[in-house]
Amino acid sequence: MKGSHLLTCLALILSSWASAQQYSIIIHGGAGNGLKPENYTEVQKAAFHAGLNRALAVGDSALNAGTAGPEVVSLVLQVLENDTLFNAGRGAVLTYEGKASMDASIMDGASGEAGAVAGISCIKNPITAALAVLRYSDHVLLSGSGADDFAQLHGGICVDPNYFLINSNLKVLRKIRGDQGALDSLIDHKMGTVGCVVRDREGNIAAGTSTGGLMAKKYGRIGDSPIIGAGTYADNASVGVSCTGHGEYFIRNVIAYQLAARYLYLKEGGQEAADYMIHDLLSGQKAFGGLIGIDAKGEFFYAFNTVGMLRGFKREGEAAQTYIFDLQER
Ligand code: ASP
């Protein structure tokens, strides 16, 4: 009797050991055709790698401490939102009128719950506003000043609008206003949307995206980043995804969800489904962008049809890897 009890205990310990997996994290900092090696100095490239590594390190320690997936995603994206190199939070591009109008979303693949905000203008870290919607609201998507108010009720920090007016963005905006550039050229002025997907030791997936949208946008334009299924999606049974690129195409093609559906129903791998979405579907429409993700088996995937995509990934106990261009020219 005693012996069989011991065996049961041993079997339980072994099975929980086997089911505990390495956690993993993947991030992006935007995709663009302006991301050419010759456009950046070594110092600038090093700054991109350092920013991505800082974010991965924060995610790594939060996952190691057993923090819930959506909270980890929020912590990681706050690091990138605070870094002016990226088009999110402090570095968010500006509307034609010269204001920040930011979008963010987050999804919990374990519960299927999601939270998103669109067109917010005072919350320092928009991803925390999206997380507040996920955790404390009956709704999924809040917009404008109402979303700013809701976030503040749940601890969001509202900053002076000048906080978002960084010189590099003001300079580009002035140039665009002067030459009335076409939409195509606007899209390349500053990409740098940020995204994160994590998978914890129990296999729970969470994903989030945060952006300032497109430089010089007008009329309250909203892209794919706060749209669940377009710019962000997470489901433990399939994939977690965060997208970046020309948002209108990501919305029309429901990119993030369509990728999950291919994994689930066509039994494609995450990478196979990602390649199809970017290189067949979007390239076929002459649309540009990229995405990152983790599938239910814990495999990383990413794809982009731009010259570069800032990205990085790390698995528990392994070294972090960060890239700007292709795998050869980091
Ligand atoms: N997808 C974002 C948008 O359309 C922009 C980007 O990822 O660069 O708002």
Side-chain angles (χ1 to χ4, degrees):
M1 184 68 188
K2 262 190 176 169
S4 73
H5 184 67
L6 194 71
L7 277 178
T8 316
C9 281
L10 263 174
L12 273 175
I13 290 167
L14 280 175
S15 77
S16 72
W17 230 19
S19 67
Q21 308 148 55
Q22 285 171 295
Y23 59 71
S24 48
I25 172 170
I26 185 165
I27 58 175
H28 72 75
N33 288 326
L35 278 174
K36 290 189 184 116
E38 60 270 28
N39 286 355
Y40 294 92
T41 64
E42 289 309 314
V43 172
Q44 286 169 323
K45 289 180 210 170
F48 278 136
H49 286 294
L52 294 169
N53 274 305
R54 268 196 300 275
L56 287 172
V58 165
D60 184 57
S61 46
L63 283 164
N64 195 29
T67 309
E71 274 68 15
V72 178
V73 167
S74 169
L75 288 168
V76 169
L77 292 185
Q78 286 177 61
V79 175
L80 299 172
E81 287 177 339
N82 293 341
D83 189 331
T84 53
L85 288 177
F86 302 97
N87 170 16
R90 179 115 209 256
V93 298
L94 305 170
T95 62
Y96 194 83
E97 294 74 31
K99 292 182 187 144
S101 176
M102 301 165 288
D103 309 326
S105 64
I106 201 157
M107 186 162 186
D108 182 353
S111 64
E113 287 172 356
V117 291
I120 65 170
S121 55
C122 90
I123 297 297
K124 181 175 179 233
N125 291 108
I127 197 67
T128 63
L131 182 62
V133 176
L134 186 156
R135 290 287 180 227
Y136 307 114
S137 169
D138 292 333
H139 310 299
V140 169
L141 175 58
L142 301 182
S143 70
S145 59
D148 278 319
D149 292 347
F150 182 83
Q152 283 182 80
L153 284 178
H154 295 282
I157 299 167
C158 181
V159 291
D160 186 278
N162 289 328
Y163 171 80
F164 300 106
L165 303 185
I166 62 169
N167 278 336
S168 52
N169 284 336
L170 283 169
K171 244 166 80 183
V172 176
L173 180 66
R174 286 189 194 115
K175 219 167 124 192
I176 291 171
R177 279 184 185 165
D179 67 13
Q180 300 290 316
L183 187 62
D184 276 355
S185 61
L186 297 191
I187 285 157
D188 258 358
H189 269 304
K190 188 173 180 185
M191 289 206 160
T193 291
V194 298
C196 172
V197 180
V198 300
R199 185 170 179 273
D200 69 16
R201 291 182 181 124
E202 277 72 50
N204 295 311
I205 298 174
T209 311
S210 178
T211 190
L214 299 184
M215 181 62 96
K217 61 190 179 182
K218 288 181 177 174
Y219 310 117
R221 181 264 183 194
I222 305 287
D224 59 313
S225 307
I227 309 296
I228 297 298
T232 301
Y233 190 71
D235 171 18
N236 280 2
S238 56
V239 294
V241 189
S242 169
C243 302
T244 178
H246 194 165
E248 281 68 11
Y249 288 87
F250 284 77
I251 296 174
R252 287 186 201 121
N253 292 289
V254 205
I255 295 290
Y257 177 72
Q258 210 184 143
L259 195 162
R262 293 185 78 85
Y263 184 93
L264 212 51
Y265 305 122
L266 295 181
K267 309 288 178 212
E268 289 184 353
Q271 187 60 56
E272 197 185 348
D275 284 337
Y276 175 83
M277 298 312 300
I278 297 295
H279 299 295
D280 289 298
L281 198 71
L282 286 183
S283 293
Q285 297 173 16
K286 299 195 174 12
F288 289 104
L291 57 82
I292 53 150
I294 305 177
D295 68 22
K297 295 189 186 105
E299 299 294 331
F300 292 127
F301 57 84
Y302 65 78
F304 55 97
N305 61 4
T306 46
V307 177
M309 179 168 77
L310 297 159
R311 62 202 186 280
F313 43 87
K314 186 181 186 315
R315 211 179 279 286
E316 180 173 7
E318 295 177 11
Q321 295 184 51
T322 56
Y323 298 91
I324 304 175
F325 314 107
D326 58 25
L327 294 178
Q328 277 73 44
E329 194 142 20
R330 299 185 71 188

